[in-house]
């Protein structure tokens, strides 16, 4: 057992000496790692909330900030605490480096730094989410001008508002400094003295333009189709193709049989025509069918024969009464 532990220590120390903390890490890599960590937390929260899908609605809402903080600490325990790197950093071959000793060699984070990162990341987020309900409870707790209790409530509200504003302002200033110098995208990293470095030597972010060219090609083709499709009269095209394909069959079935069949069904819905109307050809349509289609399409054509549709006119039918 002692020999195995010594071998593991030698391997870890050898891996740590290979890391060059002086190699700058791209800003986009650090931001991508943060986005991957945020996506992982959201995915875990979604899976956790689905476990209570069949329970009473709103069951997790009162304790949602605390549950999110606990899930964040759970992820921290199995990622950052054990390997000095988050999931997003591991995917991008990054890890945290301890800059407090100011040594040119790689130094892993201490337990105190890891715990500080967890508390400074989950703590302000929990306080920001919980402060809304706290302020709401304080504001609805009664009149504010009732002696010392009212002054205490007012002072507590002011403190929470001031702390939230200061936190957001310092985070903004830290992000602007990060864009300038390329280090510490999160304020908690600057406070505890942690910086993202490469976990492997000579790691270069390979940027290939094959995927980008393919995406640009498909996006351009999709935009072209979006521009072209509204200009195509699909009904007229369909009627033209059908009339061209069925030209021989329609020529053979001319006469009384076709005329009788055309008057028995609507050319659009296929049902018995209600308030039959015609548009200039021998086919009959329901009034509401032809009227709605003519309003939607100014260049409407008959779907049966392809003739251009004119103004809908009611069909005049002669009824003969025969007696016995």
């Amino acid at each position: 057992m002692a020999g195995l532990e010594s071998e593991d220590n030698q391997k870890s120390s050898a891996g740590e000496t290979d890391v060059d903390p002086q190699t700058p890490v791209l800003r986009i890599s650090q931001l991508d790692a943060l986005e991957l960590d945020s996506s992982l937390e959201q995915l875990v929260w979604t899976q956790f909330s689905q476990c209570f899908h069949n329970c009473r609605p709103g069951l997790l809402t009162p304790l949602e900030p605390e549950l999110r903080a606990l899930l964040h600490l759970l992820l921290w325990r199995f990622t950052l605490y054990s390997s000095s790197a988050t999931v997003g950093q591991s995917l991008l071959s990054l890890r945290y480096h301890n800059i407090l000793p100011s040594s040119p060699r790689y130094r892993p984070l201490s337990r105190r730094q890891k715990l500080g990162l967890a508390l400074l990341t989950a703590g302000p987020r929990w306080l920001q989410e919980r402060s809304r309900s706290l302020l709401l409870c304080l504001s609805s707790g009664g009149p504010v001008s009732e002696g010392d209790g009212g002054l205490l409530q007012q002072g507590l509200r002011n403190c929470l508002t001031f702390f939230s504003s200061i936190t957001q302002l310092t985070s903004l200033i830290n992000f602007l400094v990060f864009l300038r110098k390329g280090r510490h995208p999160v304020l908690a990293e600057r406070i505890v003295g942690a910086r993202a470095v490469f976990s492997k030597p000579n790691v270069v972010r390979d940027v290939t333009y094959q995927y980008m060219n393919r995406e640009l090609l498909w996006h351009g083709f999709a935009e072209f189709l979006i521009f072209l499709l509204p200009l195509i009269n699909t009904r007229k095209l369909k009627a033209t193709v059908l009339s061209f394909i069925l030209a021989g069959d329609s020529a053979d079935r001319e006469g009384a049989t076709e005329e009788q069949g055309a008057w028995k069904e609507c050319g659009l819905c296929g049902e018995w025509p209600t308030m039959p109307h015609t548009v200039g050809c021998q086919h009959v349509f329901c009034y509401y069918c032809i009227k709605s289609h003519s309003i939607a399409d100014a260049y409407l054509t008959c779907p049966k024969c392809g003739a251009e549709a004119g103004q809908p006119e009611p069909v005049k039918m002669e009824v003969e009464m025969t007696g016995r």
Side-chain angles (χ1 to χ4, degrees), residues 36-318:
L36 289 172
D37 295 335
S38 178
S39 300
L40 176 63
E41 291 183 11
Q42 185 62 35
L43 179 61
V44 173
W45 172 254
T46 302
Q47 297 295 327
F48 177 76
S49 59
Q50 285 182 355
C51 297
F52 301 89
H53 180 70
N54 296 325
C55 297
R56 178 175 56 85
L59 180 63
L60 301 179
T61 303
L63 299 177
E64 182 175 349
E66 288 76 14
L67 292 176
R68 285 183 177 272
L70 289 176
L71 289 178
H72 177 80
L73 294 177
L74 183 64
L75 292 175
W76 164 82
R77 173 60 183 84
F78 293 101
T79 56
L80 181 59
Y81 183 80
S82 59
S83 60
S84 295
T86 62
V87 177
Q89 290 178 340
S90 301
L91 292 176
L92 298 176
S93 300
L94 301 177
R95 66 189 310 177
Y96 279 123
H97 166 61
N98 187 4
I99 62 175
L100 294 182
S102 65
S103 174
R105 300 178 60 184
Y106 172 76
R107 297 282 184 178
L109 297 180
S110 62
R111 293 185 177 180
R112 185 176 299 178
Q113 288 176 314
K114 296 176 181 178
L115 183 60
L117 271 178
L119 295 179
L120 291 176
T121 303
R125 187 187 308 173
W126 170 83
L127 184 60
Q128 183 179 4
E129 295 178 357
R130 181 54 69 187
S131 62
R132 300 174 183 175
S133 58
L134 291 177
L135 290 176
L136 184 61
C137 292
L138 291 177
S139 61
S140 61
V144 184
S145 60
E146 292 183 357
D148 297 337
L151 294 177
L152 180 61
Q153 292 180 3
Q154 184 68 27
L156 186 57
R157 281 202 301 269
N158 294 336
C159 289
L160 289 176
T161 306
F162 178 76
F163 179 77
S164 178
S165 302
I166 290 297
T167 304
Q168 295 178 2
L169 180 61
T170 52
S171 299
L172 176 61
I173 295 175
N174 178 78
F175 187 74
L176 294 177
V177 175
F178 162 73
L179 294 179
R180 175 66 179 175
K181 297 185 177 180
R183 296 181 178 181
H184 310 296
V186 182
L187 184 61
E189 298 179 4
R190 189 179 300 275
I191 294 176
V192 302
R195 180 166 60 89
V197 296
F198 288 112
S199 60
K200 299 178 183 179
N202 300 325
V203 175
V204 180
R205 182 160 179 164
D206 188 13
V207 180
T208 59
Y209 294 96
Q210 182 178 3
Y211 174 77
M212 186 181 299
N213 291 334
R214 184 169 63 250
E215 288 296 319
L216 289 175
L217 178 63
W218 281 110
H219 279 293
F221 183 68
E223 291 179 358
F224 175 74
L225 290 180
I226 292 174
F227 171 77
L228 183 62
L229 287 178
L231 303 179
I232 300 177
N233 192 343
T234 55
R235 294 190 185 93
K236 187 175 182 179
L237 181 62
K238 179 181 178 180
T240 304
V241 172
L242 290 177
S243 62
F244 178 76
I245 294 176
L246 303 177
D249 297 339
S250 61
D252 297 337
R253 288 181 295 178
E254 289 181 351
T257 306
E258 183 179 359
E259 293 180 358
Q260 293 176 0
W263 290 80
K264 291 182 179 180
E265 65 178 12
C266 173
L268 291 172
C269 65
E271 301 294 335
W272 187 273
T274 304
M275 299 174 62
H277 280 64
T278 181
V279 291
C281 60
Q282 60 182 358
H283 298 96
V284 178
F285 308 92
C286 300
Y287 171 74
Y288 295 105
C289 292
I290 192 61
K291 192 64 176 179
S292 60
H293 282 74
S294 61
I295 292 175
D297 187 5
Y299 304 97
L300 181 65
T301 57
C302 178
K304 295 292 186 179
C305 60
E308 293 186 2
Q311 190 68 22
E313 297 180 357
V315 176
K316 297 180 180 179
M317 302 180 64
E318 295 182 358

